[in-house]
Amino acid sequence: SPPRGRRLFADPLSIGDANPAYAARTGALAFDRTRVDEGPVIEVATPGGRLREYIAGREPTFSPTGDQMAFVGDGGLSVLDLATRASRQLTANASDAHPSWGARNLIAFDRKTRGRRRIFVARPDGSAVREVARARVALQRPQWSPDGRSLLVTTLLTVDQCRRFD
């Protein structure tokens, strides 16, 4: 039989934990937590198990070095420096979602444009925002390959490789 999971962090006020992200270099784990008394917040656990609430937001993804985290905030994507807790706005489009930070230091995300979700990439400083994939169906939830050269995206019913970054 498959191994059984175990709950890592219980909170009696939580109505849901979702979107886990793992930083391989630092061993940190981040996830969104929604409580009955507030909107979603991002919590980060250190390898020692200490849990800290970092910032209001959802859908965290770590930088390749694990020292920064991109996430969906109010009005777009933001980047948070985990050491200083300073955050900066990456995009200003409220439809931006599902960030994925790749090995080549690009952040991929999906954005609703002209009625469909399409795939964009940006540098962590917010520069060079550009569309990299579009289709006749919605494209969403981009995920980088380990080498940062390809993106996998979800269409309506399938997972497709959409672009190579050589």
Side-chain angles (χ1 to χ4, degrees):
S1 71
R4 296 181 62 97
R6 66 181 173 89
R7 181 169 292 201
L8 296 176
F9 307 103
D11 181 342
L13 296 178
S14 175
I15 57 173
D17 296 341
N19 301 310
Y22 179 69
R25 285 200 180 164
T26 65
L29 172 71
F31 59 94
D32 356 317
R33 170 166 278 166
T34 302
R35 294 189 181 103
V36 294
D37 58 344
E38 60 187 37
V41 295
I42 296 174
E43 300 210 356
V44 178
T46 60
R50 196 174 100 187
L51 188 64
R52 293 172 58 180
E53 182 177 307
Y54 265 79
I55 197 161
R58 57 190 171 82
E59 301 176 11
T61 182
F62 286 102
S63 66
T65 57
D67 61 340
Q68 297 180 81
M69 180 176 60
F71 64 95
V72 177
D74 287 338
L77 302 179
S78 293
V79 173
L80 176 73
D81 182 294
L82 294 170
T84 66
R85 291 191 173 200
S87 70
R88 64 186 179 283
Q89 191 86 18
L90 178 67
T91 68
N93 188 317
S95 75
D96 292 348
H98 310 113
S100 177
W101 204 320
R104 293 183 170 211
N105 213 26
L106 288 173
I107 300 169
F109 57 95
D110 60 70
R111 171 183 285 174
K112 190 172 185 176
T113 303
R114 294 185 282 281
R116 288 200 178 96
R117 298 203 74 78
R118 298 169 185 210
I119 306 299
F120 287 75
V121 296
R123 296 192 186 284
D125 63 5
S127 67
V129 176
R130 67 186 192 281
E131 184 177 1
V132 296
R134 71 170 72 173
R136 291 184 181 194
V137 296
L139 300 175
Q140 59 188 3
R141 298 189 180 275
Q143 289 294 311
W144 288 103
S145 62
D147 65 4
R149 291 182 172 198
S150 296
L151 278 171
L152 298 176
V153 298
T154 303
T155 59
L156 290 175
L157 298 173
T158 64
V159 174
D160 299 311
Q161 181 176 355
C162 74
R163 181 164 179 167
R164 215 156 146 82
F165 290 81
D166 288 320

